[in-house]
Each structure stands twice: as C-alpha cells, then as structure tokens.
Amino acid sequence: MDIPDLPEGAQPIYDVDGTSGFPEMIGSLNEQVYSMARESGNAPKNFREDVEAFIAAVDWSEKWIRALIAFQLVLWVTTVVTRNRFNWQVATFFFVSILVWGSETINTYAHLNWKAFSTQDYFELFFDRFRRAASDACNVSDGEFPLDAANLLVDVKREELQRKGGGGSKANKKESDKKSE
C-alpha cells in the first residue's frame, strides 16, 4: 500500500501494515475526556447525580420528545393491558421488533437532520435509550408467550380429561374404579 506524502509534522492514521489506528485514537480520547471530567469535579459521582444531569441536559419542552415519551407510555400500557390477548401481543411484538430493527436508520437520519426539529443533537444516546425501552416491551411480550402456551396446554388437557371421563371428578374416578373391578 502506498502511503501518500504527508505534510511536515503530520502522522499517518494508518500503520505500515494498513490497519487503522482510529479505534484506538477514539478510545484514548474517550478516556481523556472522562479523566478530565473526573479531575474537574464536574462528572456525576453516583446514579442520582447521573439522572439529575440527564434531566437537566434534555429540553423537555420539545414536542418530539414529548411525543416519544407518550409513544413509550402507550406501548407499555398496550403491552400490559393486552397481556392475555395472544393476537395483540404478537402484533405488538412484531411492531416493536420492526421499530428496534429500524432504530439505527432512524437514529442516523435524525442525527444528520436534527437542526430541522430539535434544539440539540440527542441522537447518539437518546435513540439508544429508546431502543432499550422498546426492547424491554418486547421482552415482556416474550415472557408472556410461554405463559400463554402453558395455560393453553392446561386448558387442552382439561378439555381432554372432561371428554374422556366426564370431567375427572372424584365421583367419576370412584365409578370408574368400581367398573374396573
């Protein structure tokens, strides 16, 4: 690989073997920023301060943030209220799965066009939190599916026992025991 001539004092971002040093450089910068924040005393020291910093950093008056929060609430309420309705759970599961699958594309688009609808660029962190919350709603649905399957199995076996022996009650069992003697 030909390395182009570099200006005096510049260092190539590619090693001689052609590998990029970019991830290492970003990791180093990330650690330096955290180190500087810790040294200045401005970094959150515990979970409570971290939450307070997040709340202070977000402009909660933006309509799209309110709409996103309302959507999350509707999603959770729908997930909980329809937990005993299999078809609704399946539909919710697939809807949320599609949203989670497309969230990286949505995040990229929003990151590139944030000035059109927002006062600041939230989209490297905010949609990751959206994806996590939506995934949690999917996981609730996932947890309901085995429960529904188990309940369905119990219902089918009850019906089977009722058809075979008249309900499987103790009285019927005593009669069948007498007949077998």
Side-chain angles (χ1 to χ4, degrees):
M1 176 175 134
D2 288 336
I3 298 176
D5 292 334
L6 297 172
E8 191 174 314
Q11 300 224 349
I13 61 168
Y14 289 94
D15 295 335
V16 177
D17 63 355
T19 60
S20 167
F22 194 68
E24 292 82 10
M25 183 177 75
I26 294 298
S28 172
L29 286 174
N30 193 19
E31 184 53 43
Q32 288 174 7
V33 167
Y34 280 117
S35 174
M36 288 173 19
R38 282 190 293 271
E39 288 172 11
S40 70
N42 293 335
K45 293 174 182 54
N46 55 39
F47 178 73
R48 182 172 178 243
E49 287 183 9
D50 196 23
V51 169
E52 289 172 352
F54 175 77
I55 290 170
V58 174
D59 182 3
W60 299 100
S61 65
E62 293 194 53
K63 290 179 183 177
W64 73 271
I65 291 179
R66 290 180 177 186
L68 190 61
I69 292 169
F71 171 75
Q72 289 287 343
L73 288 172
V74 167
L75 178 64
W76 275 98
V77 167
T78 301
T79 302
V80 171
V81 169
T82 63
R83 69 182 182 276
N84 294 326
R85 295 185 181 105
F86 182 75
N87 291 338
W88 272 95
Q89 285 290 298
V90 169
T92 303
F93 177 79
F94 281 114
F95 175 70
V96 171
S97 295
I98 289 168
L99 283 177
V100 169
W101 175 73
S103 66
E104 188 171 345
T105 304
I106 294 167
N107 187 38
T108 302
Y109 178 80
H111 178 66
L112 294 173
N113 300 297
W114 66 270
K115 290 180 182 177
F117 60 90
S118 184
T119 58
Q120 54 184 316
D121 185 7
Y122 296 100
F123 299 100
E124 289 306 313
L125 172 67
F126 204 74
F127 264 87
D128 184 48
R129 291 177 191 244
F130 164 78
R131 184 181 355 192
R132 193 170 300 129
S135 294
D136 289 345
C138 253
N139 291 337
V140 169
S141 294
D142 271 352
E144 288 292 323
F145 291 149
L147 214 75
D148 290 343
N151 289 335
L152 183 62
L153 180 63
V154 168
D155 292 344
V156 167
K157 283 298 182 182
R158 266 193 200 129
E159 182 70 27
E160 184 181 304
L161 287 172
Q162 285 178 349
R163 287 185 180 173
K164 275 185 178 177
S169 67
K170 289 181 181 179
N172 287 340
K173 186 175 180 185
K174 287 181 182 177
E175 286 180 25
S176 65
D177 287 344
K178 287 182 184 177
K179 288 180 184 176
S180 63
E181 290 177 355

